Amino acid sequence: MNLVGRIQSDGKDAGSSSPIMMRSDQYVAVGCDLRDIARLSKVFDGELQIGSCLVLCTAEVSITYMDVDAADALIKWAAQYDNMRFCVLEQILPQGQDHPFAQKMMQHFVNLGTPLRCVQKYPLLEDQERRFIRAGYHSVKARTLWHIWQDQCVIAPDLRLHLNKVEPFDEWEEFALFSSHYFILEARKSATSQSSPANPGSLPPTDLPLDGQPKVQESGSIVVNDRLALNFVASDAKHHRKYGATIPFSERTFGLHGGFGDKSRLNTTARYQDHSQEAEGAELPSPPLDVEARVCHTITALDHCRNLLAGGRTSPDNALSGCWLRRSGQWKTVDELPIPLYRHCATTVAYGTVDSGVLVFGGRSTGGVVVNTWFLWREMSGWEELFPSLEGLQPRFGAVMASTSPHCGILFGGMTEEGILCDEIWAWTIFVLKSTPIDTDFDGHRPLLVGHAVGASGKTLLIAGGGAVTVHQAQDCHMNFQTKNFRYVKKRFGEFIQEACDGSPQYLRSLNSDKPAEEPARFYDDFPGLQDQFRLPQQLETVVRNEHSSPLRMSGPVNMWLHYDVMANVLCQIMGTKVVALYPPMDAVHFKIPPAASSSPITVFDPDKRGVVNYARHHIKALLKQGDVLYIPPLWLHSASPLDNLSVSINVFFRNLKTGYTAGRDVYGNRDLQAYENGRRSLERIVKSMESLPRDVGSTYLALREQLISQGERFAGCRLVASNAASAAIRLNFHHSRQDHLYPLAMRRHASVLPRISPQSSQTRCYSNQASTPLLTINNATFYRQHPTATEAEDARTNPSLFPNLTFELPSSSREQQHWSVIGPSSSGKTTLFEIIRGQHLCFPPTSRSYPYLSSPEIDRKDHRLRNSFRAFQYVGFSGKHGGGLRGGNTAGSYLSARYESRREATDFTVLDYLKGNIELNPSSEAQVNVKEGTDLKNVIYDLNLEDLVDMPMGSLSNGQTRRAKIAKALLDKPEVLLLDEPFMGLDPPTMKMISPLLHKLAEAQAPRILLSLRPQEPIPEWITHIIHLGPDLQVAHRGPKREVLRALGSGQIASDRIKNPTSESARQFSLSREGLPMRGESPKLDGEPIVEMRDVRVKYGDNVVLGNWQETINGEQRQGLNWTVRRGERWGIFGPNGSGKTTLISLICSDHPQSYSLPIRLFSRPRLPQPGTPGISIFDLQSRIGHSSPETHNFFPKQLSLRRCIESAWSDTFLSPPSLTYERDTLVDTYLKWFEPDLNPTYDPSPTPSSRTKHSIRHGDHILHLGSTVSTDWADNIRFTDLPFSAQRLALFLRALIKKPDLVVLDEAFSGMDASLRDKCLLFLTWGTTKTYAKTSRKGKQAMTKVVDTPKDVLDVEGVSVEGLSNEQALIVVSHVKEEVPGLVRDWMCLPDAGTGEKARFGRFEGPLEGVKGGWEKIWGSAF
């Protein structure tokens, strides 16, 4: 069935005067401003003639963004048509704008630049209904999404149950809160209705749960809406939490145990006590920390000295059954629940005259199953199940049960398995249960206490839950940022104020209320209610005009650490009195400011440190009282000491320079100036250029340092003093100067030598002359994935041996250090060998693999956990498998375009979160990692140059940045050996030059030892001393010192230190590229129609520009951003360092980037969104015309698809939607599979059998291609994408990008991870299709060579399909960091600059294949090479 019909293309409606953008037999696309009612009427009445039609207008959160009057006019205009239906989905404010959820929701849309307008005028359901009735509609009905969810006539029960099958769900409070703030309204205007519109004042009441203002009723002696005064505050809570359980310690003191904190479950207990009473100083008997962190559990008080903790859960599909009893302050385990339970209800009952117990009902068990069981626990007899005779009591969870007497109580509320609220109340006794439904509602606004806990003792009630602020809790009155003698503590704001007034040493600095990690604090935006209470005087108008940030600072009696700020600022004292000590930059040398820091470890207000402070003779002291304003110049060190208990001030930072600030995010206004950053990079390059020189030669150039110092002195008018060589720091010692704005080139940070290794992490081990104990010994061992059986033939096929008769020893130390590298093709088993080294796979004989050093006393002195080989040998992979992602994969729910969005989600874990192990929304207790804020974390961040990345989401990192972060994560575990699997794959040359020396430094220090795996085509680092070369079939071909292995592999290979590719070497002897293209010769530039057009394109997130951060002159016109055109027939190469914006650029072309809709980009001569006279291009049209292969596509591609389905998905709208296939397409898929069967089919047999004999066979390397074969390709249906080797997965995605002959082929690192032979085969296929292949030729007395030959025509005729290479109608864009992965077809190239440099993109063109252009690769990379 043709759903769209025939689209007209005669341009009838193309004129700008007509709003008709596209027309077909059944559809008309209208582009019109909805505020232009006259034009809408013209279209509806003239063009569409809908007078007699049934019309449905839908507005899905759309007209709420319009001006309210314009939206009302649109609604009223639609009502003039008979048979009109108007359906609206929008937000409401059922509890008003002051409700916390409403405030958050409204601010969210303000941040997006799309504030909700209509909800201000129509906040309630009845307001929206009256709105449409006044507009002239006869029938109007509005319901919240929560009400619709509860209506079983709308959503069938089996559909509700399906929710838990898709994903275990246990967030009902949040769901109810969200859905009650959205509504669906249906308004009808019927031509047959003769009645006038309903009276707006007589609308029927809407009886909706959780909506409106409910009624108040009483039931017996239970007053449902009884309110008690709440005087409780958290006295020692370190986290705000939800889903916890209360413990009544005394009548005025409660504990809140467990629950879900900021990012993980907790096993701690927060104490709450009445602040009107004297604090109880005794330590409270909280559950011990070895009680597994949990949520949704119960703690029931049996009497004043006994409590029972029961059940709970970790994740929604993992209920717990453990129980603990507290008796006389001590906790001990007792009998487990008969079944695991969470969200059950429990209360105390009396059984007989003395024995008291705990009655438990309902809840959810493992897998989310809702139960209807009753259990009774008594200390003497444990758990027993009760079997009441009841009818009508549905299984439920989340109900509340309370005792009204020792033997009786009530059960009310809860939710059924289908997600329906239960509205009846049941009364029970310990022997009899009976139903007494009571119609009750709850008065007052619904509080935002999601996952709260309630505790009662006597007449005291505690409701625990809510938010908090983070403060610096100091140990004494002197805060020191270097020693971190303070803790970051979350507590309620009122609690902080009270404690500060009482003399507690605490300090609070406000952050941005919406994006604390991305945007600076601004007082007027963060505290709108106080904006009239603070104004800078008129004389400081310059400060206001150039404001960067204005944080609010509040503190108790605690001294601020001595530090300096890069930006100038004014300090405004609001309350209290303080003394501020200031020191000019000339005194910085006296305060021991460490490299890469802006604060001093010296506390200037400490009398014990006065001797040090006296060296600084130019300091100023200022006394600030309420209303005083102090100007602090940039780079002046300062510290403050309050004279009162509570001090309140506002810092206003401002830009006092017109230019020079570093581009990008600067939350605290303290990033170094761009001039310094540029200078530091220049110093890095200078030092780097000398690293290859011998030490005695390099020492000759010490005069270079003196030259730099001399030039700096002439520029700054000051004397430069070089500190000791160990830190390589350059500091400034200023003489007397009256200039307030001195910006030294390198005042505090050292001249970074890459790689940077901190002194603490670069200590080398000392060795004795005695032979060391081996770390690992493997002696003539054979390994298996499964236990071998007696049938060897069967095992060889289903359970092949791994590295038979392997012998290998890794010393723990030696006089001459050994640095090993494993080299082999991607399918040779490098990862498997690393797994064997770690202790995986079965070893035969079992005693042939041992770890002697891990059993030595030295390991106990380090860390006894290193006795485990999996901890001592840390594996770090980068391929997306075996630990290639966060914990080996992606966060559930992530999607391809998420990394380009500026909005931060809960799953966007930062680099710091990743390093600490906080990368799960709902982690199990085993997965929780506790990395302390200590020296190790700081050193690792410093060593791997991650300081500027710690607040960035992991998903936003470039390839090289991700590698550094993963290596850092592994180093924090302090392993003995670091196994790095292909760490250089996909790195640009500058980043590779940085990573390799860094690894060398770590390997030299043996902190830890390093084992690398490399592909044959990758250069072997100079510092590698030993090589394991892997051959086919999981066997070691060569092993030993590097020189010997390279010599055994062939002559002339020691100089280049890489395994040669015979294909490329042979091709060059014929003056042809490896694709058979002439090395030289003019390639005329085609002038086809534009496919990609970019004009002044700049991609930025806030102030951070990631692409197009430059200006250039084009045809005499000043332009800003990227200007670039790709035409049909052109072959482009895109290059640039990691993080330069290459992937962002590709995402704009493929429309994975949200900004592709708003930037001046045209694809196939059409914009993404419709414009007057020009229709937009849809995402499905783009997908049909672009073939794309990239690491991002690989990362998000569904791994469960079969190989055939993977290639066929080229004709699908999405990865998982059914492909549109024909006989011709099926045949084409078979051709692709046959051509690449040796590389895709793991069971491929290179020797033809009688049943698979072909007319022609061509040898390709070690494989024989059976072309023209009638052999079935059914094998491709039985191989899952995830079961293919990494290189074969990349090959499958490469074929997927080509098979539909798209207008534009985009290959973003498509060949990364492939072996050299497979890569060259793909490049040949890209150029010639199946018309050419490789063949080995041998000449007498000479080495066999590989050359490009024509595929015999009769071979191709058997199948009737001959696949051609790229045509002149197709364009090609290739992104690569490796010269050998650039196709010989590429002629035009663009090299993007580092995003932070401000340099412009460079363009060039080659007249032949890159491999034949002398110095071509160096020309592309320029000075960065």
Side-chain angles (χ1 to χ4, degrees):
M1 178 178 179
N2 186 0
L3 296 179
V4 177
R6 180 178 55 85
I7 299 177
Q8 292 185 357
S9 59
D10 56 4
K12 174 182 177 181
D13 300 309
S16 61
S17 61
S18 174
I20 304 298
M21 309 304 295
M22 186 178 69
R23 185 193 302 272
S24 72
D25 296 339
Q26 300 177 19
Y27 292 90
V28 173
V30 179
C32 183
D33 189 338
L34 294 180
R35 297 171 296 183
D36 192 346
I37 300 298
R39 199 174 195 194
L40 275 176
S41 299
K42 180 179 178 181
V43 173
F44 272 62
D45 298 335
E47 299 282 354
L48 305 181
Q49 300 177 359
I50 63 171
S52 60
C53 299
L54 181 64
V55 183
L56 172 64
C57 292
T58 60
E60 183 179 352
V61 194
S62 55
I63 62 175
T64 188
Y65 304 129
M66 297 174 60
D67 178 78
V68 180
D69 293 337
D72 288 345
L74 178 67
I75 294 171
K76 186 174 182 181
W77 165 79
Q80 68 179 316
Y81 295 97
D82 294 332
N83 298 318
M84 171 62 71
R85 305 288 188 272
F86 208 113
C87 188
V88 177
L89 169 64
E90 283 184 12
Q91 298 88 348
I92 56 172
L93 307 176
Q95 267 74 58
Q97 298 187 53
D98 294 333
H99 189 273
F101 182 87
Q103 291 179 340
K104 191 69 175 180
M105 178 180 71
M106 298 288 285
Q107 188 61 44
H108 167 75
F109 287 97
V110 170
N111 295 342
L112 294 178
T114 56
L116 303 178
R117 304 182 188 278
C118 293
V119 74
Q120 304 279 357
K121 186 175 180 180
Y122 306 108
L124 302 176
L125 283 178
E126 47 265 40
D127 297 329
Q128 290 285 356
E129 289 180 331
R130 291 189 183 97
R131 176 190 190 186
F132 278 80
I133 288 173
R134 291 192 184 102
Y137 293 87
H138 295 113
S139 173
V140 181
K141 184 173 181 59
R143 307 171 77 190
T144 66
L145 296 186
W146 176 247
H147 191 189
I148 294 174
W149 169 261
Q150 294 288 305
D151 191 341
Q152 300 192 58
C153 297
V154 178
I155 303 177
D158 58 341
L159 187 59
R160 301 170 188 277
L161 294 175
H162 186 67
L163 173 65
N164 203 59
K165 296 179 181 178
V166 174
E167 180 180 8
F169 184 76
D170 190 37
E171 299 170 356
W172 292 101
E173 291 86 351
E174 292 92 336
F175 176 61
L177 195 60
F178 179 90
S179 58
S180 62
H181 280 77
Y182 280 79
F183 75 95
I184 292 179
L185 178 144
E186 180 194 9
R188 297 189 180 190
K189 173 71 178 299
S190 175
T192 60
S193 175
Q194 300 300 320
S195 61
S196 60
N199 182 358
S202 60
L203 285 175
T206 56
D207 183 19
L208 305 179
L210 301 179
D211 297 329
Q213 296 295 331
K215 300 170 289 183
V216 179
Q217 296 184 10
E218 293 187 0
S219 174
S221 61
I222 302 175
V223 182
V224 177
N225 67 323
D226 186 21
R227 298 177 179 175
L228 301 177
L230 299 178
N231 296 319
F232 285 87
V233 296
S235 59
D236 60 354
K238 295 183 176 62
H239 303 276
H240 57 279
R241 59 187 78 196
K242 59 183 180 181
Y243 306 137
T246 56
I247 314 172
F249 293 121
S250 67
E251 185 171 341
R252 309 304 299 178
T253 305
F254 288 83
L256 180 61
H257 174 263
F260 200 90
D262 293 332
K263 292 185 178 179
S264 62
R265 293 180 298 277
L266 307 173
N267 63 350
T268 57
T269 303
R271 182 173 67 179
Y272 291 78
Q273 63 187 45
D274 188 349
H275 65 74
S276 64
Q277 304 292 321
E278 183 177 353
E280 300 178 9
E283 183 176 352
L284 298 177
S286 305
L289 296 181
D290 57 359
V291 174
E292 184 177 8
R294 63 191 60 213
V295 299
C296 302
H297 54 299
T298 58
I299 300 180
T300 311
L302 287 89
D303 48 48
H304 69 280
C305 65
R306 291 190 302 162
N307 300 91
L308 181 70
L309 185 156
R313 68 167 175 85
T314 54
S315 59
D317 59 349
N318 185 26
L320 302 175
S321 58
C323 299
W324 280 261
L325 175 67
R326 170 200 167 211
R327 172 188 284 277
S328 302
Q330 300 296 321
W331 291 84
K332 66 175 184 178
T333 58
V334 293
D335 295 335
E336 293 187 350
L337 282 162
I339 59 174
L341 287 177
Y342 67 92
R343 283 194 182 268
H344 52 285
C345 54
T347 189
T348 307
V349 295
Y351 196 81
T353 58
V354 179
D355 195 9
S356 61
V358 175
L359 183 66
V360 170
F361 169 72
R364 307 189 79 155
S365 190
T366 300
V369 177
V370 180
V371 300
N372 197 27
T373 53
W374 295 80
F375 297 110
L376 177 65
W377 179 88
R378 288 176 291 174
E379 189 171 1
M380 299 300 296
S381 58
W383 291 101
E384 61 179 302
E385 185 173 358
L386 305 180
F387 299 95
S389 178
L390 290 173
E391 293 183 1
L393 181 61
Q394 293 178 283
R396 65 192 65 199
F397 63 92
V400 177
M401 185 162 57
S403 299
T404 57
S405 72
H407 308 285
C408 305
I410 58 173
L411 169 72
F412 60 94
M415 182 173 282
T416 67
E417 189 172 18
E418 295 86 4
I420 303 298
L421 286 178
C422 303
D423 57 1
E424 76 272 14
I425 295 181
W426 295 72
W428 53 266
T429 70
I430 192 60
F431 302 110
V432 180
L433 288 166
K434 61 181 179 180
S435 173
T436 57
I438 303 174
D439 184 15
T440 60
D441 289 301
F442 294 88
D443 190 19
H445 289 171
R446 178 172 62 260
L448 184 62
L449 292 171
V450 176
H452 61 281
V454 180
S457 177
K459 296 183 179 180
T460 302
L461 176 69
L462 168 69
I463 301 178
V469 295
T470 302
V471 302
H472 300 65
Q473 179 77 55
Q475 298 174 359
D476 53 36
C477 62
H478 302 289
M479 284 199 300
N480 192 318
F481 193 80
Q482 295 298 324
T483 61
K484 288 291 193 303
N485 64 339
F486 56 85
R487 296 179 296 120
Y488 295 102
V489 178
K490 289 185 181 294
K491 56 181 61 180
R492 297 180 65 85
F493 181 72
E495 177 189 359
F496 160 73
I497 293 294
Q498 184 62 50
E499 292 180 358
C501 292
D502 293 339
S504 176
Q506 302 183 35
Y507 164 67
L508 168 66
R509 183 196 191 277
S510 67
L511 301 176
N512 186 282
S513 58
D514 296 318
K515 299 178 179 180
E518 301 177 18
E519 298 292 340
R522 294 185 176 91
F523 180 82
Y524 295 117
D525 295 336
D526 300 332
F527 305 97
L530 301 178
Q531 57 184 347
D532 296 330
Q533 307 298 317
F534 174 74
R535 283 287 184 274
L536 285 175
Q538 185 66 32
Q539 296 89 330
L540 298 180
E541 179 62 25
T542 300
V543 176
V544 177
R545 188 169 56 252
N546 297 286
E547 177 185 348
H548 167 269
S549 59
S550 49
L552 172 69
R553 302 181 187 272
M554 308 179 72
S555 71
V558 62
N559 300 330
M560 187 69 176
W561 54 81
L562 183 67
H563 69 286
Y564 70 84
D565 300 305
V566 174
M567 289 189 183
N569 67 93
V570 292
L571 179 61
C572 309
Q573 190 67 14
I574 307 300
M575 178 183 296
T577 305
K578 69 172 59 170
V579 175
V580 181
L582 299 99
Y583 302 86
M586 70 183 70
D587 286 342
V589 69
H590 302 300
F591 289 102
K592 301 180 180 179
I593 302 176
S598 61
S599 63
S600 168
I602 297 175
T603 53
V604 296
F605 290 102
D606 187 351
D608 296 336
K609 299 294 192 298
R610 290 291 170 82
V612 178
V613 176
N614 286 338
Y615 284 106
R617 301 177 179 178
H618 311 99
H619 73 278
I620 300 171
K621 282 191 176 181
L623 179 65
L624 289 187
K625 298 182 179 180
Q626 183 173 333
D628 289 344
V629 177
L630 174 66
Y631 167 63
I632 303 177
L635 296 181
W636 276 60
L637 291 98
H638 54 280
S639 177
S641 178
L643 301 182
D644 301 315
N645 279 1
L646 182 63
S647 175
V648 181
S649 60
I650 298 176
N651 250 144
V652 183
F653 293 85
F654 64 97
R655 298 179 175 89
N656 60 310
L657 295 179
K658 293 183 179 180
T659 59
Y661 292 105
T662 302
R665 184 171 61 193
D666 190 4
V667 175
Y668 297 98
N670 208 25
R671 288 190 61 180
D672 286 312
L673 298 176
Q674 188 67 59
Y676 165 74
E677 294 290 345
N678 293 340
R680 180 172 61 85
R681 280 192 288 266
S682 298
L683 289 175
E684 292 171 357
R685 286 194 290 269
I686 292 172
V687 177
K688 182 67 176 177
S689 65
M690 295 188 177
E691 284 188 345
S692 60
L693 298 176
R695 290 184 179 274
D696 56 338
V697 177
S699 63
T700 307
Y701 290 94
L702 286 177
L704 178 62
R705 181 182 65 173
E706 303 300 327
Q707 179 183 354
L708 290 173
I709 294 176
S710 176
Q711 292 177 353
E713 290 175 347
R714 290 198 302 271
F715 170 76
C718 59
R719 182 168 59 88
L720 297 176
V721 179
S723 66
N724 61 78
S727 63
I730 300 178
R731 300 194 180 282
L732 297 183
N733 185 11
F734 284 87
H735 293 293
H736 293 278
S737 173
R738 297 187 179 275
Q739 301 181 36
D740 288 335
H741 309 301
L742 297 174
Y743 288 90
L745 174 65
M747 174 181 173
R748 60 184 176 89
R749 299 181 188 259
H750 65 71
S752 285
V753 181
L754 293 180
R756 305 187 304 173
I757 302 294
S758 58
Q760 295 90 335
S761 64
S762 61
Q763 302 299 320
T764 58
R765 294 182 172 91
C766 297
Y767 306 110
S768 66
N769 293 328
Q770 299 176 355
S772 65
T773 303
L775 258 170
L776 166 68
T777 297
I778 300 176
N779 185 19
N780 197 27
T782 301
F783 300 88
Y784 296 88
R785 288 189 171 89
Q786 302 171 19
H787 200 286
T789 64
T791 309
E792 283 191 16
E794 183 70 17
D795 281 344
R797 188 177 72 255
T798 61
N799 185 29
S801 61
L802 310 176
F803 298 101
N805 305 318
L806 176 64
T807 297
F808 176 64
E809 181 175 290
L810 182 65
S812 60
S813 63
S814 61
R815 297 183 61 87
E816 294 183 3
Q817 294 186 355
Q818 297 183 11
H819 306 314
W820 285 84
S821 176
V822 179
I823 301 178
S826 62
S827 58
S828 60
K830 298 188 296 292
T831 302
T832 303
L833 181 59
F834 277 174
E835 292 171 347
I836 289 174
I837 290 175
R838 294 190 74 198
Q840 290 179 251
H841 304 305
L842 300 174
C843 176
F844 288 89
T847 57
S848 295
R849 176 175 56 187
S850 61
Y851 301 90
Y853 181 72
L854 301 186
S855 302
S856 67
E858 186 174 347
I859 288 295
D860 282 333
R861 290 192 292 269
K862 294 179 181 179
D863 185 350
H864 68 89
R865 294 175 297 179
L866 292 176
R867 291 188 179 278
N868 185 329
S869 62
F870 283 86
R871 182 176 288 271
F873 291 76
Q874 285 282 341
Y875 174 86
V876 181
F878 307 99
S879 65
K881 297 177 69 176
H882 303 94
L886 301 184
R887 294 178 59 83
N890 296 306
T891 303
S894 56
Y895 51 97
L896 185 57
S897 65
R899 68 173 292 186
Y900 311 113
E901 297 179 355
S902 58
R903 180 187 176 208
R904 294 280 294 275
E905 301 286 352
T907 56
D908 293 338
F909 300 105
T910 65
V911 173
L912 189 59
D913 290 330
Y914 174 67
L915 295 180
K916 293 182 177 181
N918 300 326
I919 57 170
E920 292 189 11
L921 287 175
N922 203 14
S924 63
S925 58
E926 295 84 358
Q928 297 186 43
V929 180
N930 183 21
V931 177
K932 296 182 179 180
E933 296 272 1
T935 304
D936 293 336
L937 181 61
K938 294 178 185 176
N939 288 344
V940 166
I941 291 175
Y942 174 79
D943 292 345
L944 282 102
N945 199 18
L946 297 174
E947 299 101 321
D948 296 333
L949 306 179
V950 291
D951 293 326
M952 288 182 61
M954 278 295 294
S956 300
L957 299 186
S958 68
N959 207 345
Q961 293 166 344
T962 301
R963 277 163 167 70
R964 282 187 276 140
K966 290 181 177 179
I967 294 173
K969 180 67 170 63
L971 291 176
L972 285 172
D973 290 332
K974 298 182 179 180
E976 288 294 316
V977 180
L978 195 60
L979 306 173
L980 299 178
D981 201 353
E982 298 185 354
F984 301 139
M985 185 180 68
L987 290 184
D988 60 79
T991 303
M992 185 181 297
K993 288 187 175 183
M994 189 275 286
I995 291 287
S996 182
L998 169 64
L999 299 179
H1000 184 199
K1001 293 287 185 180
L1002 293 173
E1004 285 289 329
Q1006 297 208 4
R1009 304 160 185 82
I1010 303 292
L1011 265 71
L1012 299 179
S1013 76
L1014 301 172
R1015 296 173 296 162
Q1017 63 265 36
E1018 290 175 333
I1020 304 171
E1022 296 179 359
W1023 51 274
I1024 291 294
T1025 62
H1026 290 69
I1027 290 176
I1028 298 176
H1029 181 237
L1030 302 184
D1033 301 325
L1034 297 174
Q1035 296 194 29
V1036 174
H1038 303 86
R1039 180 184 68 253
K1042 178 171 67 173
R1043 182 173 296 272
E1044 295 179 9
V1045 172
L1046 293 179
R1047 184 179 294 111
L1049 291 172
S1051 60
Q1053 298 185 27
I1054 296 177
S1056 63
D1057 271 4
R1058 76 172 69 205
I1059 311 300
K1060 289 187 177 181
N1061 176 18
T1063 303
S1064 301
E1065 297 298 320
S1066 299
R1068 290 193 184 94
Q1069 297 189 28
F1070 292 96
S1071 298
L1072 297 175
S1073 73
R1074 59 209 150 144
E1075 299 101 318
L1077 297 172
M1079 286 291 196
R1080 294 177 179 81
E1082 295 187 0
S1083 300
K1085 189 173 179 64
L1086 302 177
D1087 191 20
E1089 66 172 301
I1091 290 182
V1092 179
E1093 299 171 89
M1094 295 188 176
R1095 298 292 179 264
D1096 301 332
V1097 168
R1098 297 177 79 237
V1099 178
K1100 57 187 298 187
Y1101 309 120
D1103 295 330
N1104 185 28
V1105 180
V1106 298
L1107 177 65
N1109 188 24
W1110 64 78
Q1111 294 182 350
E1112 57 182 335
T1113 302
I1114 301 177
N1115 298 327
E1117 181 182 358
Q1118 190 73 12
R1119 309 293 289 271
Q1120 187 170 19
L1122 175 62
N1123 291 270
W1124 182 48
T1125 301
V1126 178
R1127 300 180 179 275
R1128 287 191 185 274
E1130 291 184 341
R1131 316 304 193 221
W1132 279 88
I1134 309 298
F1135 309 100
N1138 295 115
S1140 60
K1142 301 184 297 298
T1143 304
T1144 300
L1145 175 65
I1146 298 303
S1147 71
L1148 293 173
I1149 297 173
C1150 299
S1151 279
D1152 294 322
H1153 201 299
Q1155 294 188 32
S1156 62
Y1157 291 85
S1158 58
L1159 292 173
I1161 301 174
R1162 297 174 71 88
L1163 302 173
F1164 303 99
S1165 302
R1166 292 161 62 184
R1168 287 295 285 115
L1169 295 177
Q1171 296 178 358
T1174 305
I1177 187 168
S1178 71
I1179 183 65
F1180 301 109
D1181 194 4
L1182 280 177
Q1183 289 177 344
S1184 67
R1185 304 179 70 174
I1186 297 178
H1188 179 209
S1189 177
S1190 68
E1192 284 73 25
T1193 304
H1194 192 173
N1195 195 26
F1196 288 93
F1197 194 81
K1199 305 299 188 292
Q1200 73 274 17
L1201 294 184
S1202 68
L1203 172 58
R1204 182 186 298 276
R1205 183 68 177 77
C1206 164
I1207 299 176
E1208 291 175 345
S1209 67
W1211 291 289
S1212 302
D1213 290 334
T1214 65
F1215 289 149
L1216 294 175
S1217 60
S1220 176
L1221 298 177
T1222 62
Y1223 172 78
E1224 290 77 12
R1225 292 175 177 178
D1226 279 334
T1227 305
L1228 189 60
V1229 171
D1230 284 339
T1231 301
Y1232 273 52
L1233 291 172
K1234 291 178 181 180
W1235 190 260
F1236 285 97
E1237 182 179 1
D1239 313 288
L1240 293 172
N1241 186 359
T1243 61
Y1244 171 74
D1245 184 2
S1247 59
T1249 61
S1251 60
S1252 63
R1253 204 161 304 235
T1254 63
K1255 186 174 181 180
H1256 283 274
S1257 298
I1258 294 180
R1259 177 172 292 277
H1260 172 65
D1262 296 327
H1263 301 304
I1264 297 176
L1265 306 182
H1266 307 310
L1267 307 176
S1269 169
T1270 58
V1271 175
S1272 171
T1273 58
D1274 291 344
W1275 53 269
D1277 296 308
N1278 302 319
I1279 299 175
R1280 294 188 306 162
F1281 184 83
T1282 189
D1283 296 329
L1284 292 171
F1286 183 77
S1287 61
Q1289 292 182 4
R1290 284 289 170 91
L1291 170 60
L1293 296 177
F1294 167 74
L1295 300 179
R1296 178 181 180 272
L1298 295 182
I1299 194 167
K1300 61 184 177 183
K1301 286 292 181 181
D1303 296 321
L1304 175 61
V1305 177
V1306 179
L1307 302 179
D1308 184 358
E1309 298 186 47
F1311 310 112
S1312 179
M1314 291 186 183
D1315 304 330
S1317 59
L1318 177 58
R1319 177 201 65 206
D1320 290 347
K1321 182 178 179 180
C1322 291
L1323 294 175
L1324 185 70
F1325 186 78
L1326 179 70
T1327 306
W1328 303 105
T1330 60
T1331 62
K1332 291 184 183 292
T1333 187
Y1334 287 124
K1336 282 188 176 181
T1337 61
S1338 59
R1339 291 176 290 175
K1340 187 175 181 179
K1342 295 186 178 181
Q1343 183 180 3
M1345 303 181 64
T1346 302
K1347 67 176 183 179
V1348 178
V1349 299
D1350 292 331
T1351 304
K1353 186 176 183 300
D1354 53 346
V1355 171
L1356 301 177
D1357 288 344
V1358 172
E1359 289 298 323
V1361 176
S1362 177
V1363 178
E1364 301 288 339
L1366 283 184
S1367 70
N1368 289 337
E1369 295 299 313
Q1370 294 176 279
L1372 173 67
I1373 297 177
V1374 175
V1375 178
S1376 181
H1377 297 122
V1378 181
K1379 177 181 178 181
E1380 290 77 13
E1381 293 177 2
V1382 179
L1385 293 171
V1386 169
R1387 294 294 179 269
D1388 298 283
W1389 59 267
M1390 172 174 62
C1391 186
L1392 295 174
D1394 193 307
T1397 63
E1399 300 176 359
K1400 64 181 180 180
R1402 296 182 297 107
F1403 294 83
R1405 178 174 171 80
F1406 295 132
E1407 296 303 328
L1410 174 61
E1411 61 182 294
V1413 180
K1414 185 177 181 180
W1417 188 241
E1418 292 77 5
K1419 180 179 179 181
I1420 290 174
W1421 289 96
S1423 60
F1425 187 76

